[in-house]
């Protein structure tokens, strides 16, 4: 049986890291074999690409450069981690994937989404996540949470308008892909967010085991 491909997305400080731990515990309790990984990153080479992408620098990083680096890391990650796991029946839990390229590069940087779709087809073929959890939060709250946590990376130095476009991008992706996307209100208490996530996972796995 092919493993399930679950991705988790959202704007800054939305609580992905916090909730991924919760999902890992849930999958373990349920006896699901899985690997947990992230983008950009997920292999030694792709983690080096992540470093290149996130480190603040004086030289302006061109939008196309940023997009191509995202997909270069993704190609390596798919080849080394994601596809081998799925093919062997192991599920994959991934902190961000191609929806982030549409949201950040497409909507945030205002790049042509048809170009992203071409790269998606080249790098992934028809592979898409089976389930995508989009944690949604007003940008101001997310940025406040993120600022209390660590020094800002290159993306976190962007203006609020950029993150607003990213958020609208995620909501549009969810609207256009209702069969795989679940939007979770991440402005609720952590306990309430996790109750919502658990309900989505229960529903997803009960449907998956019925087919
Ligand atoms: N990027 C891109 O542009 N294109 C692409 O294709 C891909 C990525 C794949 C790195 O991602 C950057 O890459 C990202 C987009 C870009 N932009 N940035 N920055 P990342 O996922 O590694 O970085 P991140 O978005 O900053 O995620 P993060 O650091 O992992 O943050 P988070 O996981 O969303 O938040 P958290 O650390 O779990 O929570 C933040 C704080 O809020 C923390 O103190 C929690 O305790 C607190 N928290 C969490 N939930 C709650 C609730 N419910 N109530 C109260 N407090 C809470």
């Amino acid at each position: 049986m092919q493993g399930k491909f679950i991705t988790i997305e959202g704007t800054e400080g939305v609580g992905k890291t916090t909730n991924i731990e919760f999902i890992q515990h849930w999958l373990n309790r349920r006896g699901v074999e899985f690997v947990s990984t992230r983008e950009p990153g997920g292999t030694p080479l792709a983690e080096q690409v992540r470093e290149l992408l996130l480190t603040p620098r004086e030289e302006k990083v061109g939008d196309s450069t940023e997009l191509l680096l995202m997909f270069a890391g993704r190609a390596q990650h798919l080849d080394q981690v994601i596809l081998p796991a799925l093919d062997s029946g192991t599920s994959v839990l991934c902190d961000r994937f191609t929806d982030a390229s549409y949201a950040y590069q497409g909507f945030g940087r205002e790049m042509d989404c048809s170009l992203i779709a071409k790269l998606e087809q080249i790098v992934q073929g028809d592979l898409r996540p089976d389930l995508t959890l989009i944690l949604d939060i007003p940008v101001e709250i997310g940025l406040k949470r993120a600022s209390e946590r660590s020094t800002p990376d290159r993306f976190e130095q962007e203006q609020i308008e950029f993150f607003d476009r990213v958020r609208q991008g995620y909501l549009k992706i969810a609207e256009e892909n209702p069969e795989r996307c679940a939007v979770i209100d991440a402005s609720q208490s952590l306990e309430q967010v996790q109750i919502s996530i658990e309900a989505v996972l229960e529903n997803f796995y009960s449907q998956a085991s019925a087919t």
Side-chain angles (χ1 to χ4, degrees):
M1 192 186 80
Q2 186 84 355
K4 298 292 175 201
F5 186 20
I6 301 172
T7 57
I8 180 156
E9 300 275 0
T11 49
E12 311 316 299
V14 84
K16 289 180 296 93
T17 310
T18 313
N19 288 297
I20 278 172
E21 268 178 52
F22 172 79
I23 299 171
Q24 289 168 343
H25 287 305
W26 191 91
L27 293 172
N28 279 326
R29 280 205 311 277
R30 185 87 182 212
V32 177
E33 199 182 315
F34 69 97
V35 294
S36 195
T37 184
R38 69 173 181 180
E39 288 209 354
T43 83
L45 190 153
E47 287 292 327
Q48 288 188 339
V49 176
R50 178 188 177 89
E51 245 340 268
L52 290 175
L53 280 160
L54 297 194
T55 306
R57 62 185 73 243
E58 275 179 27
E59 179 183 353
K60 176 169 168 27
V61 179
D63 292 348
S64 305
T65 308
E66 184 177 279
L67 179 68
L68 290 169
L69 283 171
M70 290 293 175
F71 272 97
R74 181 162 300 135
Q76 182 71 4
H77 191 205
L78 279 162
D79 187 56
Q80 296 294 306
V81 176
I82 298 176
L83 292 176
L86 295 176
D87 288 346
S88 70
T90 300
S91 290
V92 174
L93 174 61
C94 195
D95 182 347
R96 297 196 187 280
F97 192 62
T98 304
D99 289 325
S101 301
Y102 282 103
Y104 281 80
Q105 281 68 52
F107 288 84
R109 304 268 187 241
E110 302 181 296
M111 292 188 77
D112 179 358
C113 284
S114 69
L115 176 64
I116 301 174
K118 279 186 196 145
L119 289 169
E120 181 179 38
Q121 193 57 36
I122 292 166
V123 169
Q124 300 164 220
D126 292 334
L127 178 78
R128 299 291 178 276
D130 297 300
L131 173 66
T132 298
L133 293 159
I134 298 178
L135 302 185
D136 179 57
I137 200 174
V139 166
E140 294 83 352
I141 303 178
L143 288 175
K144 185 165 182 301
R145 283 188 194 167
S147 70
E148 285 163 4
R149 189 200 43 194
S150 58
T151 46
D153 64 31
R154 196 173 59 81
F155 286 91
E156 288 164 348
Q157 295 177 340
E158 289 294 337
Q159 302 298 309
I160 197 155
E161 296 74 29
F162 172 83
F163 294 109
D164 262 327
R165 290 197 296 275
V166 173
R167 182 184 184 206
Q168 293 315 317
Y170 274 127
L171 293 176
K172 186 150 192 277
I173 290 167
E175 201 184 300
E176 288 175 354
N177 299 275
E179 69 301 339
R180 73 169 169 92
C181 292
V183 179
I184 309 277
D185 176 1
S187 63
Q188 309 172 94
S189 69
L190 189 54
E191 192 191 1
Q192 198 53 53
V193 170
Q194 294 182 341
I195 289 171
S196 306
I197 290 178
E198 184 160 25
V200 171
L201 291 173
E202 286 287 358
N203 184 42
F204 174 74
Y205 274 96
S206 60
Q207 282 187 10
S209 56
T211 53

